[in-house]
Amino acid sequence: MIQNFDAIIIGAGQAGPALAGRLTAAGQTVALIERKLFGGTCVNTGCMPTKTLVASAYAAHLARRAADYGVTFEGAVGVDMKRVKARQQAVVHNARNGVETWLKGMKGCTVFEGHARFESATTVRVGDKVLHAGQIFINVGGRANIPDMPGVDRVKYLTNTDMMQIDTLPKHLVIVGGSYIGLEFAQMYRRFGAEVTVVEMGARLIQREDPEVSETIQQILEAEGITVRLNAECISFEPCKTEGGEEGVCVHVTCQAGEPQVVGSDVLLAVGRKPNTDDLGLEAAGVTVDKRGYITVDDQLRTSVPGIWAMGDCNGKGAFTHTAYNDFEIIAANLLDSDPRKVSDRVTAYALYTDPPLGRVGMTQAEVRATGRPALIGKRPMTRVGRAVEKGETLGFMTVLVDAETKLILGAAILGLNGDEAIHGMLDLMYAKAPYTTIQRAVHIHPTVSELIPTMLGELKPL
Ligand SMILES: Cc1cc2nc3c(=O)[nH]c(=O)nc-3n(C[C@H](O)[C@H](O)[C@H](O)COP(=O)(O)OP(=O)(O)OC[C@H]3O[C@@H](n4cnc5c(N)ncnc54)[C@H](O)[C@@H]3O)c2cc1C
């Protein structure tokens, strides 16, 4: 028997639950389908557990630096991985239970647990049940990409999901992929006490960023004892024994410099993400995807089929929790508030949670140069930020790009203490479409990292 609803939502990630809340509050009946863990990637295997682990790693790092602050204690700093994991799991369970309890108690929302597959443009099957609705919202997210590298199927490898189950310290963690996810794991595991090697195919880490950002992050990681292998053009894997005679993995790296092989006790694959669209029956509904499997959507997140929308990582318009949540806001505004919000109103913004973190908004220097328009640049090292000096955390720099004619901020990066927070002043100004002089004349609180942003904006030079 077919069950009828006003709306079906597939996936309880970052957009689906919030949309269920808005639709039911508007009096609609909603079927929400989740096949695994409520809260999706961010809550269970992404943002929340990683940032919880980053906090433990930071505590260990600061404890080792205690003497720099005049603080002394007896004995060496130890990391109890079982307690580190327990802390991470407690944070995750609390968040997951919160989402699950909220959805299951939501008036007008019926939760189905199982894998959803389209049977037509208006029907979805979950197990032996068939659900029907005139509106269907896809929020299926993504998973770790397993690269087609020689030998990958012959070795035991870890993904971000597996990393959440670890409660022992890998002796030597080899991380394939020198981008955002890989670098966060690299620094945290180094700080927990593991030997860590990052293997990156490209000529520098986090290649989406400007070279000075990549290079500074590399220096920061290397100073903590992380080995970085760049230009690893041909990567392959083979089971082998470690120096201590234990089971390990040989990672062959054809690099311009260094040993041709790295022997790790464990290997983490951090080479991008893949949308969960391959087993969704999209063809039965007529929903089109691009060549990488991302659902094609317009600026207001409508798919190729009227009555079906896609939000979050699966539409390829964003790869973050805040972009997934914004997708929910765009759809809710269009459907319920007669407010034509759209994806192209969004300003690029994200952070890398190494220590110090990188806060990023808008364009990079390379992107601004490519536009050919006259631009100005401001830069200030964190050694000249009083708050950073006081806290003894002066690594990194802040930089801003301004359109020389319109005076609008085009982009900014703060790689430094509190960079993930301090960047928001510039982000908000970009949303306000106000000239940089607005911040330059603002009186910021002393002592903060943000207080140096007006100073930096007062020292702009041609790019
Ligand atoms: C290690 C790591 C760290 C990250 N850190 C950050 C960070 O610090 N900040 C940030 O903004 N982003 C971060 N991200 C990215 C962030 O987690 C994602 O962008 C975000 O979770 C995307 O949300 P979503 O709603 O699109 O999908 P998801 O959160 O992945 O949710 C999709 C849900 O759909 C369910 N589902 C899938 N297919 C089906 C089906 N057929 N039937 C039923 N249910 C289905 C899944 O089980 C899942 O629960 C990180 C990601 C990783 C991997």
Side-chain angles (χ1 to χ4, degrees), residues 9-350:
I9 299 172
I10 306 175
Q14 295 306 303
L19 185 63
R22 278 297 314 269
L23 292 173
T24 52
Q28 298 194 21
T29 55
V30 172
L32 188 137
I33 311 162
E34 172 53 55
R35 71 176 176 189
K36 219 167 170 197
L37 301 173
F38 288 83
T41 307
C42 181
V43 166
N44 296 288
T45 58
C47 338
M48 290 198 83
T50 52
K51 272 75 243 182
T52 307
L53 293 171
V54 162
S56 291
Y58 178 72
H61 179 69
L62 207 56
R64 288 188 194 108
R65 290 190 57 211
D68 295 352
Y69 299 86
V71 176
T72 55
F73 53 81
E74 299 290 313
V77 174
V79 176
D80 180 341
M81 289 303 289
K82 298 213 169 5
R83 284 170 69 181
V84 167
K85 182 185 167 196
R87 178 176 180 276
Q88 177 258 106
Q89 295 269 290
V91 171
V92 167
H93 284 158
N94 190 31
R96 178 164 71 227
N97 292 344
V99 178
E100 186 169 351
T101 310
W102 177 44
L103 286 171
K104 289 185 173 167
M106 191 181 283
K107 199 164 163 271
C109 178
T110 310
V111 173
F112 295 85
E113 293 186 59
H115 183 101
R117 231 175 249 109
F118 280 91
E119 297 218 318
S120 75
T122 51
T123 50
V124 173
R125 174 176 288 277
V126 198
D128 57 1
K129 298 188 176 66
V130 179
L131 317 178
H132 172 273
Q135 310 170 98
I136 302 182
F137 303 92
I138 308 170
N139 178 216
V140 292
R143 61 183 185 274
N145 180 39
I146 306 304
D148 189 15
M149 290 170 174
V152 72
D153 48 347
R154 295 179 49 219
V155 295
K156 267 207 276 183
Y157 57 77
L158 301 159
T159 65
N160 65 292
T161 304
D162 306 314
M163 292 302 284
M164 300 313 154
Q165 300 312 319
I166 289 185
D167 66 357
T168 54
L169 190 66
K171 217 166 179 173
H172 182 180
L173 181 63
V174 179
I175 300 176
V176 180
S179 201
Y180 306 91
I181 291 175
L183 297 188
E184 289 182 8
F185 279 113
Q187 191 181 42
M188 82 174 73
Y189 271 84
R190 181 66 194 142
R191 290 179 170 191
F192 290 152
E195 189 183 339
V196 174
T197 302
V198 176
V199 177
E200 165 57 45
M201 286 178 119
R204 57 189 174 86
L205 299 175
I206 40 170
Q207 292 175 76
R208 197 186 299 166
E209 306 302 334
D210 283 317
E212 62 180 344
V213 171
S214 302
E215 282 151 23
T216 307
I217 287 182
Q218 185 176 342
Q219 283 159 14
I220 290 168
L221 297 179
E222 285 177 338
E224 292 192 24
I226 294 168
T227 304
V228 177
R229 301 292 305 270
L230 300 173
N231 298 304
E233 279 157 11
C234 304
I235 301 173
S236 63
F237 305 90
E238 205 184 337
C240 69
K241 298 262 187 240
T242 62
E243 256 180 35
E246 287 139 14
E247 292 302 320
V249 180
C250 285
V251 183
H252 299 273
V253 288
T254 315
C255 294
Q256 280 161 9
E259 290 292 313
Q261 163 168 304
V262 182
V263 182
S265 57
D266 299 86
V267 170
L268 166 63
L269 298 179
V271 282
R273 309 275 301 163
K274 203 176 160 167
N276 290 327
T277 53
D278 39 2
D279 194 12
L280 197 53
L282 288 175
E283 33 332 301
V287 173
T288 56
V289 296
D290 68 15
K291 58 180 187 309
R292 293 167 63 215
Y294 289 98
I295 298 172
T296 45
V297 289
D298 67 12
D299 209 13
Q300 284 161 330
L301 303 169
R302 288 177 282 248
T303 68
S304 54
V305 175
I308 304 182
W309 290 257
M311 39 191 193
D313 283 10
C314 68
N315 66 25
K317 297 261 181 197
F320 302 100
T321 284
H322 44 279
T323 49
Y325 190 81
N326 181 234
D327 284 358
F328 141 68
E329 293 177 316
I330 290 167
I331 290 177
N334 277 280
L335 292 182
L336 302 171
D337 305 332
S338 307
D339 179 357
R341 291 181 69 172
K342 50 190 192 312
V343 179
S344 52
D345 291 336
R346 195 147 77 200
V347 177
T348 302
Y350 54 89

Side-chain angles (χ1 to χ4, degrees), residues 208 210 360 362-372:
R208 197 186 299 166
D210 283 317
R360 274 273 297 113
M363 289 192 263
T364 60
Q365 289 178 38
E367 286 166 344
V368 171
R369 281 202 184 91
T371 67

